[in-house]
């Protein structure tokens, strides 16, 4: 996809120029707050049709074209600092950010929200990735609710004997890979009561989720606990080395310290 700025704020004087790699609620919050003191460029992969956007920032959409091209973009735009606030499962862009910042000599911070932890009465089975989650399904339940996004949904094509209900923000580009599945769309935050009603409505007995962390999509996990439904929890990919924080507050403090 070609990168295209859809809105561009003129840099103001010698303010710090920050690139925020976004696509999460925390990234939007961070960008809104960082824009009070810095010139912020907010970058999205461009996959979601109607993404949440921060205010008073420059928006760019689409891949950079790899780590070297991201480093070039930083040099051309005089980037002083990068905060990688992408989703915990967006492993490629996180690796690219590390490489690009090392190449361009730009400080980088990873903002990654805290992972969900099991609570009393939870029944979780751990899966390393969507492929393993799919392989666990038929021995775990007969009607599964998939909450794994739409990009990797085809990993569930080999599943037999378990009916699939898949929810994503936008519908999958190709639903033919799962011809028997039911597809629904929805964007968090969701309430626990609505999630309980949805799981009951579809007669779900197993939930598949990424361990995304954060509040916006946690209600399904609480709903599964309430209903005694097993969760196949897909574990996070490893995070690249370097500075990391779990809070927007600390990320803002990191920016402040750089500009002091
Ligand atoms: P990914 O596999 O880590 O990245 C694939 C490629 O997409 C990257 O190499 C880069 O292209 C481009 N890209 C990704 N994020 C970008 C960003 N913020 N700005 C510019 N280019 C970006 O990413 P993904 O898992 O497909 O996720 C894509 C986006 O959706 C991320 O920004 C993430 O925050 C958000 N998201 C992901 C998930 C998830 O479960 N993976 C869930 C919710 C939101 P180039 O190599 O061409 O630069």
């Amino acid at each position: 996809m070609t990168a295209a700025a859809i809105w561009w704020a003129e840099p103001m004087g010698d303010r710090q120029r920050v690139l925020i790699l976004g696509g999460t609620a925390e990234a939007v919050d961070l960008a809104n707050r960082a824009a009070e003191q810095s010139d912020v460029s907010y970058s999205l992969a461009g996959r979601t049709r109607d993404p949440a956007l921060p205010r008073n920032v420059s928006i760019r959409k689409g891949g950079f074209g790899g780590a070297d091209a991201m480093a070039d973009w930083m040099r051309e735009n005089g980037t002083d600092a990068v905060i990688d606030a992408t989703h915990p499962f967006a492993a490629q862009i996180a690796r690219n950010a590390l490489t690009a910042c090392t190449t361009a000599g730009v400080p980088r911070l990873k903002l990654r929200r805290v992972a969900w932890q099991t609570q009393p009465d939870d029944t979780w089975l751990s899966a390393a990735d969507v492929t393993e989650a799919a392989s666990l399904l038929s021995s775990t339940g007969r009607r599964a609710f998939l909450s794994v996004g739409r990009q990797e949904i085809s990993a569930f094509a080999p599943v037999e004997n378990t009916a699939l209900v898949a929810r994503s923000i936008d519908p999958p580009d190709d639903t033919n890979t799962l011809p028997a599945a039911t597809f629904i769309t929805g964007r968090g935050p969701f309430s626990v009561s609505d999630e309980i009603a949805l799981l009951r409505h579809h007669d779900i007995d197993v939930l598949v989720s990424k361990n995304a962390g954060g509040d916006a999509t946690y209600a399904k996990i609480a709903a599964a606990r309430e209903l005694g439904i097993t969760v196949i929890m897909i574990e996070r990919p490893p995070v690249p080395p370097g500075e990391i924080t779990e809070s927007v507050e600390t990320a803002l403090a990191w920016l402040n310290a750089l500009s002091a």
Side-chain angles (χ1 to χ4, degrees):
M1 186 180 301
T2 309
I6 60 169
W7 190 79
W8 196 256
E10 280 303 312
M12 294 202 297
D14 57 0
R15 298 211 311 171
Q16 181 187 41
R17 294 185 182 194
V18 181
L19 170 63
I20 295 177
L21 301 170
T24 58
E26 292 75 24
V28 173
D29 183 24
L30 173 68
N32 278 329
R33 294 167 69 182
E36 292 170 12
Q37 61 187 28
S38 306
D39 288 328
V40 174
S41 296
Y42 184 82
S43 179
L44 287 170
R47 307 234 168 84
T48 304
R49 280 172 205 157
D50 182 21
L53 293 174
R55 301 173 301 277
N56 301 323
V57 303
S58 303
I59 307 284
R60 67 166 302 289
K61 280 189 178 181
F64 292 88
D68 287 347
M70 192 195 293
D72 290 344
W73 189 97
M74 288 180 207
R75 290 193 198 94
E76 285 159 16
N77 290 276
T79 303
D80 298 308
V82 172
I83 298 184
D84 170 7
T86 56
H87 192 271
F89 281 81
Q92 183 62 53
I93 189 71
R95 284 193 296 272
N96 288 1
L98 167 63
T99 306
C101 288
T102 305
T103 305
V106 172
R108 176 191 60 97
L109 178 70
K110 174 75 190 172
L111 170 61
R112 194 167 85 141
R113 57 202 182 197
V114 183
W116 297 323
Q117 306 293 334
T118 46
Q119 305 293 320
D121 298 330
D122 278 336
T123 306
W124 288 9
L125 297 178
S126 174
D129 51 30
V130 283
T131 306
E132 188 180 4
S135 72
L136 289 170
L137 261 188
S138 45
S139 59
T140 313
R142 49 181 188 83
R143 291 190 59 81
F145 189 81
L146 308 182
S147 177
V148 298
R150 65 195 171 106
Q151 309 282 352
E152 298 175 283
I153 204 78
S154 60
F156 294 88
V159 172
E160 292 174 352
N161 307 323
T162 303
L164 304 175
V165 179
R167 179 174 67 191
S168 50
I169 294 176
D170 294 317
D173 294 330
D174 180 10
T175 53
N176 293 330
T177 51
L178 299 179
T182 301
F183 293 97
I184 58 176
T185 55
R187 184 198 296 261
F190 305 102
S191 72
V192 177
S193 57
D194 285 352
E195 295 290 64
I196 287 175
L198 185 68
L199 294 174
R200 278 196 175 130
H201 175 75
H202 290 285
D203 194 20
I204 297 299
D205 59 3
V206 56
L207 166 69
V208 183
S209 173
K210 292 178 173 176
N211 194 335
D215 297 334
T217 59
Y218 184 72
K220 65 191 171 213
I221 307 298
R225 180 187 312 134
E226 187 76 23
L227 296 172
I229 289 174
T230 298
V231 179
I232 297 178
M233 187 63 82
I234 302 169
E235 305 300 339
R236 297 170 167 204
V239 68
E243 285 189 85
I244 183 164
T245 182
E246 292 173 335
S247 87
V248 170
E249 291 297 336
T250 318
L252 289 166
W254 181 82
L255 283 179
N256 274 334
L258 280 183
S259 62

